[in-house]
Amino acid sequence: MFVRHYLGGVTADVRKIIHIDMDAFFASVEQRDDPALRGKPVAVGHGAARGVVAAASYEARAFGVRSAMPSISALRRYPDLVFVAPRFDVYRAVSKQIHAIFSDYTDLIQPLSLDEAYLDVTTNRRGIVTAWETAKDIRARIFAETGLTASAGISYNKFLAKLASDHRKPNGQFAVTPEMGAAWVETLPVARFHGIGPVTAAKMKRLGIETGLDLRDKPLSFLRLHFGSAAEWYHAIARGKDDRPVDPARVRKSSGSETTFARDLMDCAEIESGVLGQADEVWAWCEKAEAFGRTVTVKVKYADFAQVTRSRSDSVPINNRARLHELSLRLIRSVLPTPKGIRLVGVTVANFAAPDTASAHLPLFWQPME
Protein backbone atom coordinates (compact mmCIF):
# COMPACT_ATOMS: atom_id res chain seq x y z
CA MET A 1 0.00 0.00 0.00
CA PHE A 2 1.48 3.34 -1.05
CA VAL A 3 0.31 5.21 2.06
CA ARG A 4 2.06 2.74 4.35
CA HIS A 5 5.15 2.59 2.15
CA TYR A 6 5.50 6.36 1.99
CA LEU A 7 4.77 7.03 5.62
CA GLY A 8 7.28 4.39 6.52
CA GLY A 9 10.10 6.84 6.02
CA VAL A 10 11.15 6.21 2.43
CA THR A 11 11.55 9.96 2.01
CA ALA A 12 13.85 10.94 4.86
CA ASP A 13 13.18 14.69 4.85
CA VAL A 14 9.42 14.32 5.33
CA ARG A 15 8.00 14.28 8.83
CA LYS A 16 5.57 11.66 10.10
CA ILE A 17 2.91 13.35 12.22
CA ILE A 18 -0.01 11.64 13.97
CA HIS A 19 -2.98 13.47 15.44
CA ILE A 20 -4.80 11.33 18.00
CA ASP A 21 -8.33 12.39 18.95
CA MET A 22 -10.42 10.45 21.46
CA ASP A 23 -13.97 9.69 20.32
CA ALA A 24 -16.60 11.67 22.27
CA PHE A 25 -14.19 11.51 25.20
CA PHE A 26 -16.18 12.76 28.21
CA ALA A 27 -19.38 11.02 27.10
CA SER A 28 -17.53 7.80 26.25
CA VAL A 29 -15.96 7.69 29.73
CA GLU A 30 -19.43 8.03 31.26
CA GLN A 31 -20.82 5.24 29.05
CA ARG A 32 -17.85 3.05 29.88
CA ASP A 33 -18.33 3.50 33.61
CA ASP A 34 -22.12 3.15 33.62
CA PRO A 35 -23.40 0.31 31.41
CA ALA A 36 -26.93 1.72 31.68
CA LEU A 37 -25.82 4.67 29.54
CA ARG A 38 -24.44 2.62 26.68
CA GLY A 39 -26.29 3.08 23.41
CA LYS A 40 -28.22 6.05 24.79
CA PRO A 41 -28.06 9.73 23.80
CA VAL A 42 -25.89 11.16 26.58
CA ALA A 43 -24.86 14.75 27.26
CA VAL A 44 -22.19 15.61 29.79
CA GLY A 45 -23.26 18.80 31.51
CA HIS A 46 -26.30 20.11 33.33
CA GLY A 47 -29.84 20.16 31.99
CA ALA A 48 -30.79 23.36 33.80
CA ALA A 49 -32.03 26.38 31.86
CA ARG A 50 -28.59 28.00 31.99
CA GLY A 51 -26.68 24.78 31.39
CA VAL A 52 -24.39 24.02 28.46
CA VAL A 53 -23.49 20.68 26.90
CA ALA A 54 -19.82 19.95 27.60
CA ALA A 55 -19.78 16.81 25.44
CA ALA A 56 -22.26 14.62 23.57
CA SER A 57 -22.22 10.91 22.78
CA TYR A 58 -22.49 9.82 19.16
CA GLU A 59 -26.06 8.71 19.83
CA ALA A 60 -26.87 12.28 20.95
CA ARG A 61 -25.03 13.79 17.99
CA ALA A 62 -27.37 11.90 15.67
CA PHE A 63 -30.12 14.25 16.92
CA GLY A 64 -28.00 17.34 16.36
CA VAL A 65 -26.77 17.73 19.94
CA ARG A 66 -23.28 19.25 20.07
CA SER A 67 -20.79 20.43 22.66
CA ALA A 68 -21.09 24.10 23.70
CA MET A 69 -24.82 24.00 22.87
CA PRO A 70 -27.15 25.47 25.51
CA SER A 71 -28.83 22.62 27.35
CA ILE A 72 -32.28 23.99 26.64
CA SER A 73 -31.56 23.85 22.89
CA ALA A 74 -30.24 20.30 23.21
CA LEU A 75 -33.42 19.21 24.98
CA ARG A 76 -35.53 20.77 22.23
CA ARG A 77 -33.69 18.59 19.73
CA TYR A 78 -34.11 15.45 21.83
CA PRO A 79 -36.34 15.72 24.93
CA ASP A 80 -35.18 12.33 26.29
CA LEU A 81 -31.52 13.33 26.29
CA VAL A 82 -29.74 11.93 29.35
CA PHE A 83 -27.64 14.51 31.19
CA VAL A 84 -24.69 13.37 33.29
CA ALA A 85 -22.76 15.68 35.60
CA PRO A 86 -19.13 16.10 34.46
CA ARG A 87 -16.38 14.30 36.45
CA PHE A 88 -13.24 16.15 35.48
CA ASP A 89 -11.06 14.32 37.98
CA VAL A 90 -11.88 11.07 36.15
CA TYR A 91 -11.31 12.58 32.71
CA ARG A 92 -7.91 13.93 33.79
CA ALA A 93 -6.90 10.54 35.20
CA VAL A 94 -7.83 8.77 31.95
CA SER A 95 -6.02 11.44 29.95
CA LYS A 96 -2.84 10.72 31.94
CA GLN A 97 -3.15 7.02 31.02
CA ILE A 98 -3.43 7.91 27.36
CA HIS A 99 -0.49 10.30 27.41
CA ALA A 100 1.62 7.66 29.14
CA ILE A 101 0.93 5.43 26.13
CA PHE A 102 2.04 8.20 23.77
CA SER A 103 5.35 8.54 25.62
CA ASP A 104 6.18 4.91 24.79
CA TYR A 105 6.43 5.93 21.12
CA THR A 106 7.98 9.41 21.07
CA ASP A 107 9.18 12.34 23.16
CA LEU A 108 7.64 14.78 20.68
CA ILE A 109 4.10 15.06 22.06
CA GLN A 110 2.09 18.27 21.94
CA PRO A 111 -1.18 17.99 23.88
CA LEU A 112 -4.04 20.17 22.64
CA SER A 113 -6.49 19.22 25.38
CA LEU A 114 -7.33 16.25 27.59
CA ASP A 115 -8.49 14.21 24.61
CA GLU A 116 -6.19 15.05 21.69
CA ALA A 117 -2.52 15.50 20.88
CA TYR A 118 0.01 15.69 18.07
CA LEU A 119 2.81 13.12 17.95
CA ASP A 120 5.91 13.39 15.77
CA VAL A 121 6.90 9.77 15.11
CA THR A 122 9.48 10.43 12.39
CA THR A 123 11.72 8.57 14.81
CA ASN A 124 9.78 6.37 17.21
CA ARG A 125 10.94 4.51 20.27
CA ARG A 126 9.32 1.18 19.44
CA GLY A 127 10.97 0.83 16.06
CA ILE A 128 7.70 0.52 14.12
CA VAL A 129 8.56 1.28 10.52
CA THR A 130 5.43 3.11 9.39
CA ALA A 131 3.38 5.90 10.91
CA TRP A 132 0.27 4.03 9.80
CA GLU A 133 1.15 0.96 11.88
CA THR A 134 2.29 3.18 14.75
CA ALA A 135 -1.13 4.85 14.86
CA LYS A 136 -2.86 1.46 14.77
CA ASP A 137 -0.70 0.24 17.63
CA ILE A 138 -1.41 3.33 19.74
CA ARG A 139 -5.16 3.08 19.16
CA ALA A 140 -5.16 -0.62 20.04
CA ARG A 141 -3.29 0.05 23.28
CA ILE A 142 -5.64 2.88 24.23
CA PHE A 143 -8.60 0.54 23.81
CA ALA A 144 -6.95 -2.31 25.68
CA GLU A 145 -5.91 -0.14 28.63
CA THR A 146 -8.86 2.26 28.92
CA GLY A 147 -11.76 0.62 27.08
CA LEU A 148 -12.11 3.74 24.93
CA THR A 149 -11.71 4.27 21.19
CA ALA A 150 -9.59 6.89 19.44
CA SER A 151 -9.28 8.11 15.87
CA ALA A 152 -6.04 9.07 14.17
CA GLY A 153 -4.90 11.25 11.31
CA ILE A 154 -1.50 10.63 9.76
CA SER A 155 0.31 13.08 7.51
CA TYR A 156 3.44 15.11 6.89
CA ASN A 157 2.26 18.16 8.85
CA LYS A 158 0.03 19.08 11.77
CA PHE A 159 -2.72 20.81 9.78
CA LEU A 160 -3.34 17.80 7.55
CA ALA A 161 -3.00 15.27 10.37
CA LYS A 162 -5.72 17.05 12.34
CA LEU A 163 -8.01 17.20 9.33
CA ALA A 164 -7.36 13.52 8.64
CA SER A 165 -8.28 12.40 12.16
CA ASP A 166 -11.87 13.55 11.55
CA HIS A 167 -12.12 11.66 8.27
CA ARG A 168 -12.77 8.16 9.66
CA LYS A 169 -14.39 8.97 13.00
CA PRO A 170 -15.24 7.22 15.20
CA ASN A 171 -12.60 4.54 15.80
CA GLY A 172 -10.75 4.87 12.50
CA GLN A 173 -7.71 6.40 10.90
CA PHE A 174 -6.81 8.10 7.64
CA ALA A 175 -3.52 9.11 6.02
CA VAL A 176 -2.74 12.06 3.75
CA THR A 177 0.53 11.76 1.83
CA PRO A 178 2.47 14.59 0.17
CA GLU A 179 1.32 13.24 -3.19
CA MET A 180 -2.34 13.83 -2.30
CA GLY A 181 -2.14 16.65 0.29
CA ALA A 182 -2.75 19.80 -1.78
CA ALA A 183 -5.37 18.17 -3.99
CA TRP A 184 -7.21 16.71 -0.99
CA VAL A 185 -7.40 20.10 0.75
CA GLU A 186 -8.99 21.59 -2.36
CA THR A 187 -12.00 19.26 -2.01
CA LEU A 188 -12.82 20.14 1.59
CA PRO A 189 -15.13 22.87 2.90
CA VAL A 190 -13.15 25.61 4.65
CA ALA A 191 -15.56 25.31 7.59
CA ARG A 192 -13.72 22.07 8.43
CA PHE A 193 -10.31 23.72 8.62
CA HIS A 194 -8.79 23.99 12.07
CA GLY A 195 -8.62 27.68 12.99
CA ILE A 196 -11.55 28.73 10.80
CA GLY A 197 -14.56 29.04 13.06
CA PRO A 198 -18.23 29.61 12.14
CA VAL A 199 -17.94 33.41 11.95
CA THR A 200 -14.86 33.33 9.72
CA ALA A 201 -16.37 30.56 7.58
CA ALA A 202 -19.49 32.67 7.10
CA LYS A 203 -17.37 35.65 6.11
CA MET A 204 -15.43 33.52 3.65
CA LYS A 205 -18.70 32.30 2.14
CA ARG A 206 -19.78 35.91 1.58
CA LEU A 207 -16.50 36.41 -0.25
CA GLY A 208 -17.08 33.36 -2.46
CA ILE A 209 -14.77 31.04 -0.49
CA GLU A 210 -16.44 27.75 0.41
CA THR A 211 -13.82 25.12 -0.39
CA GLY A 212 -10.08 24.73 -0.16
CA LEU A 213 -9.92 25.28 -3.92
CA ASP A 214 -11.78 28.59 -3.57
CA LEU A 215 -9.31 29.64 -0.88
CA ARG A 216 -6.29 28.60 -2.95
CA ASP A 217 -7.54 30.63 -5.90
CA LYS A 218 -7.63 33.90 -3.91
CA PRO A 219 -4.40 35.90 -4.20
CA LEU A 220 -2.47 36.74 -1.07
CA SER A 221 -3.26 40.44 -1.55
CA PHE A 222 -6.99 39.63 -1.39
CA LEU A 223 -6.57 37.56 1.75
CA ARG A 224 -4.52 40.29 3.43
CA LEU A 225 -7.20 42.86 2.64
CA HIS A 226 -9.96 40.79 4.20
CA PHE A 227 -8.20 38.71 6.86
CA GLY A 228 -5.18 40.75 7.92
CA SER A 229 -2.46 38.85 9.74
CA ALA A 230 -4.18 35.48 9.18
CA ALA A 231 -3.75 35.80 5.39
CA GLU A 232 -0.38 34.01 5.18
CA TRP A 233 -1.72 31.08 7.21
CA TYR A 234 -4.81 30.71 4.99
CA HIS A 235 -2.64 30.98 1.87
CA ALA A 236 -0.36 28.20 3.13
CA ILE A 237 -2.98 25.70 4.34
CA ALA A 238 -4.93 26.03 1.09
CA ARG A 239 -1.83 24.44 -0.48
CA GLY A 240 -1.43 21.77 2.19
CA LYS A 241 1.54 23.54 3.79
CA ASP A 242 2.27 23.80 7.51
CA ASP A 243 5.82 23.99 8.85
CA ARG A 244 4.92 24.19 12.54
CA PRO A 245 6.85 21.70 14.66
CA VAL A 246 5.33 19.36 17.20
CA ASP A 247 6.49 21.25 20.27
CA PRO A 248 6.18 19.53 23.66
CA ALA A 249 7.20 22.72 25.46
CA ARG A 250 4.73 24.97 23.70
CA VAL A 251 2.46 26.79 26.12
CA ARG A 252 -0.19 28.87 24.48
CA LYS A 253 -0.35 32.33 26.03
CA SER A 254 -3.63 33.52 24.55
CA SER A 255 -6.56 32.61 22.34
CA GLY A 256 -8.04 35.21 20.03
CA SER A 257 -10.40 35.61 17.10
CA GLU A 258 -11.19 38.61 14.95
CA THR A 259 -13.31 39.39 11.92
CA THR A 260 -13.46 42.14 9.31
CA PHE A 261 -17.04 43.11 8.54
CA ALA A 262 -18.33 43.07 4.97
CA ARG A 263 -19.10 46.79 5.43
CA ASP A 264 -18.16 49.39 8.03
CA LEU A 265 -20.64 49.27 10.91
CA MET A 266 -22.17 52.08 12.97
CA ASP A 267 -25.13 50.22 14.48
CA CYS A 268 -24.41 49.23 18.09
CA ALA A 269 -26.44 46.02 17.97
CA GLU A 270 -24.61 44.78 14.88
CA ILE A 271 -21.23 45.59 16.39
CA GLU A 272 -22.11 43.83 19.65
CA SER A 273 -23.30 40.79 17.71
CA GLY A 274 -19.96 40.66 15.92
CA VAL A 275 -18.10 40.78 19.23
CA LEU A 276 -20.20 37.96 20.67
CA GLY A 277 -19.48 35.85 17.60
CA GLN A 278 -15.75 36.26 18.15
CA ALA A 279 -16.16 35.53 21.87
CA ASP A 280 -17.92 32.27 20.99
CA GLU A 281 -15.03 31.20 18.75
CA VAL A 282 -12.54 31.94 21.52
CA TRP A 283 -14.66 30.14 24.10
CA ALA A 284 -14.88 27.03 21.91
CA TRP A 285 -11.08 26.78 21.96
CA CYS A 286 -10.79 27.52 25.70
CA GLU A 287 -13.38 24.87 26.51
CA LYS A 288 -11.77 22.25 24.31
CA ALA A 289 -8.25 22.98 25.57
CA GLU A 290 -9.37 23.44 29.18
CA ALA A 291 -7.41 26.70 29.21
CA PHE A 292 -9.13 29.47 31.13
CA GLY A 293 -7.72 32.97 31.24
CA ARG A 294 -8.27 35.94 33.52
CA THR A 295 -7.90 38.75 30.97
CA VAL A 296 -10.26 39.66 28.12
CA THR A 297 -9.27 42.15 25.43
CA VAL A 298 -11.56 43.58 22.78
CA LYS A 299 -9.92 45.06 19.70
CA VAL A 300 -11.58 47.62 17.42
CA LYS A 301 -10.32 48.82 14.07
CA TYR A 302 -12.13 51.79 12.54
CA ALA A 303 -12.82 52.55 8.89
CA ASP A 304 -9.79 54.88 8.82
CA PHE A 305 -7.66 51.98 10.21
CA ALA A 306 -7.19 53.64 13.59
CA GLN A 307 -7.17 50.95 16.25
CA VAL A 308 -8.06 50.79 19.95
CA THR A 309 -8.14 47.99 22.51
CA ARG A 310 -9.95 47.66 25.81
CA SER A 311 -9.02 45.05 28.45
CA ARG A 312 -10.27 43.80 31.76
CA SER A 313 -8.90 41.16 34.15
CA ASP A 314 -10.91 39.05 36.59
CA SER A 315 -9.54 37.81 39.90
CA VAL A 316 -10.38 34.22 38.90
CA PRO A 317 -10.26 32.42 35.54
CA ILE A 318 -13.18 33.08 33.19
CA ASN A 319 -14.62 29.59 33.10
CA ASN A 320 -17.99 30.00 31.38
CA ARG A 321 -19.20 31.51 28.16
CA ALA A 322 -21.75 33.78 29.83
CA ARG A 323 -19.01 35.55 31.77
CA LEU A 324 -16.90 35.95 28.62
CA HIS A 325 -19.95 37.40 26.85
CA GLU A 326 -20.56 39.80 29.73
CA LEU A 327 -17.00 41.10 29.82
CA SER A 328 -16.74 41.35 26.02
CA LEU A 329 -19.95 43.39 25.85
CA ARG A 330 -18.84 45.63 28.69
CA LEU A 331 -15.59 46.37 26.85
CA ILE A 332 -17.11 47.04 23.43
CA ARG A 333 -19.77 49.26 24.98
CA SER A 334 -17.00 51.47 26.36
CA VAL A 335 -16.40 52.70 22.78
CA LEU A 336 -20.06 52.84 21.73
CA PRO A 337 -21.80 54.66 20.24
CA THR A 338 -19.08 55.00 17.65
CA PRO A 339 -18.33 58.34 15.95
CA LYS A 340 -17.07 56.52 12.85
CA GLY A 341 -17.55 53.20 11.12
CA ILE A 342 -15.97 50.04 12.58
CA ARG A 343 -14.40 47.63 10.08
CA LEU A 344 -13.01 44.98 12.45
CA VAL A 345 -13.56 43.61 15.95
CA GLY A 346 -11.65 40.95 17.84
CA VAL A 347 -11.74 39.20 21.21
CA THR A 348 -8.76 37.65 23.00
CA VAL A 349 -8.51 35.74 26.27
CA ALA A 350 -5.09 35.68 27.96
CA ASN A 351 -3.36 35.31 31.32
CA PHE A 352 -4.22 31.62 31.53
CA ALA A 353 -4.40 30.04 34.96
CA ALA A 354 -2.19 27.14 35.95
CA PRO A 355 -4.07 23.85 35.40
CA ASP A 356 -4.57 23.15 39.11
CA THR A 357 -5.90 26.65 39.70
CA ALA A 358 -8.19 26.51 36.69
CA SER A 359 -9.63 23.15 37.69
CA ALA A 360 -11.05 24.67 40.84
CA HIS A 361 -13.22 26.84 38.59
CA LEU A 362 -13.79 24.32 35.82
CA PRO A 363 -17.53 23.62 35.35
CA LEU A 364 -18.45 23.86 31.68
CA PHE A 365 -21.94 25.19 32.24
CA TRP A 366 -23.40 28.65 32.46
CA GLN A 367 -23.67 30.35 35.81
CA PRO A 368 -25.70 33.46 36.65
CA MET A 369 -23.90 36.68 35.80
CA GLU A 370 -23.03 39.01 38.66
Side-chain angles (χ1 to χ4, degrees):
M1 180 178 178
F2 174 74
V3 166
R4 298 188 187 188
H5 177 72
Y6 177 82
L7 295 175
V10 173
T11 305
D13 60 346
V14 175
R15 295 179 298 161
K16 294 185 283 187
I17 309 297
I18 299 173
H19 178 257
I20 298 286
D21 194 5
M22 299 301 296
D23 298 322
F25 182 50
F26 295 174
S28 294
V29 170
E30 298 302 334
Q31 290 178 316
R32 179 197 69 176
D33 293 350
D34 184 353
L37 297 176
R38 294 173 191 170
K40 293 184 177 180
V42 173
V44 176
H46 296 267
R50 297 179 70 85
V52 167
V53 175
S57 68
Y58 281 98
E59 296 86 354
R61 295 180 191 188
F63 293 96
V65 178
R66 296 288 185 271
S67 62
M69 176 181 286
S71 298
I72 193 167
S73 300
L75 286 167
R76 287 195 192 104
R77 299 195 177 207
Y78 190 70
D80 294 327
L81 186 65
V82 180
F83 275 90
V84 179
R87 300 181 298 154
F88 292 104
D89 56 337
V90 176
Y91 309 148
R92 283 191 290 271
V94 177
S95 180
K96 287 181 180 178
Q97 283 183 273
I98 294 165
H99 284 265
I101 293 171
F102 295 161
S103 65
D104 281 345
Y105 296 83
T106 179
D107 290 327
L108 297 177
I109 304 163
Q110 183 180 329
L112 299 180
S113 58
L114 290 179
D115 63 338
E116 62 175 319
Y118 292 114
L119 288 71
D120 186 328
V121 297
T122 308
T123 301
N124 78 73
R125 287 177 166 175
R126 299 180 73 87
I128 301 174
V129 174
T130 70
W132 180 269
E133 293 298 332
T134 302
K136 283 182 64 177
D137 203 57
I138 291 171
R139 292 175 48 241
R141 283 193 58 193
I142 289 173
F143 183 74
E145 296 181 28
T146 71
L148 303 171
T149 63
S151 297
I154 305 122
S155 195
Y156 55 96
N157 65 44
K158 290 163 66 174
F159 172 72
L160 291 172
K162 186 168 175 63
L163 275 179
S165 66
D166 278 337
H167 209 60
R168 292 286 185 265
K169 266 188 167 292
N171 196 25
Q173 63 184 57
F174 185 74
V176 180
T177 72
E179 294 292 330
M180 62 185 285
W184 187 65
V185 169
E186 291 177 3
T187 68
L188 301 177
V190 293
R192 281 189 54 191
F193 290 5
H194 180 53
I196 296 181
V199 173
T200 302
K203 178 182 176 180
M204 285 187 172
K205 185 174 181 178
R206 294 194 298 270
L207 295 170
I209 303 171
E210 297 189 59
T211 67
L213 178 60
D214 296 332
L215 184 58
R216 193 205 66 183
D217 285 346
K218 296 298 182 183
L220 188 55
S221 57
F222 177 91
L223 298 177
R224 283 174 176 152
L225 175 64
H226 293 282
F227 300 103
S229 60
E232 280 74 13
W233 170 246
Y234 296 153
H235 187 266
I237 62 175
R239 290 156 176 78
K241 297 178 180 179
D242 176 12
D243 295 329
R244 296 172 301 161
V246 174
D247 184 359
R250 183 176 183 271
V251 177
R252 188 160 178 172
K253 297 180 179 179
S254 66
S255 175
S257 180
E258 62 183 43
T259 186
T260 303
F261 299 121
R263 55 185 173 80
D264 298 334
L265 297 184
M266 298 283 291
D267 182 76
C268 292
E270 287 185 284
I271 295 164
E272 289 179 5
S273 178
V275 167
L276 291 179
Q278 300 313 297
D280 282 343
E281 293 204 15
V282 172
W283 174 250
W285 180 88
C286 291
E287 185 180 46
K288 180 75 171 175
E290 290 204 331
F292 302 97
R294 293 177 48 247
T295 301
V296 178
T297 300
V298 167
K299 171 183 173 182
V300 174
K301 185 179 289 186
Y302 293 101
D304 60 4
F305 289 89
Q307 182 174 303
V308 298
T309 59
R310 296 287 186 270
S311 295
R312 171 168 173 154
S313 294
D314 262 4
S315 58
V316 297
I318 299 157
N319 66 355
N320 61 81
R321 182 168 55 177
R323 182 60 174 164
L324 179 57
H325 276 193
E326 180 187 17
L327 293 176
S328 300
L329 286 176
R330 188 177 300 178
L331 292 169
I332 190 62
R333 285 170 181 169
S334 71
V335 300
L336 296 178
T338 177
K340 51 188 175 181
I342 290 177
R343 62 177 278 110
L344 175 149
V345 294
V347 175
T348 298
V349 172
N351 198 8
F352 290 140
D356 289 345
T357 304
S359 66
H361 307 277
L362 197 56
L364 299 182
F365 52 91
W366 289 5
Q367 299 176 355
M369 292 183 289
E370 297 174 358

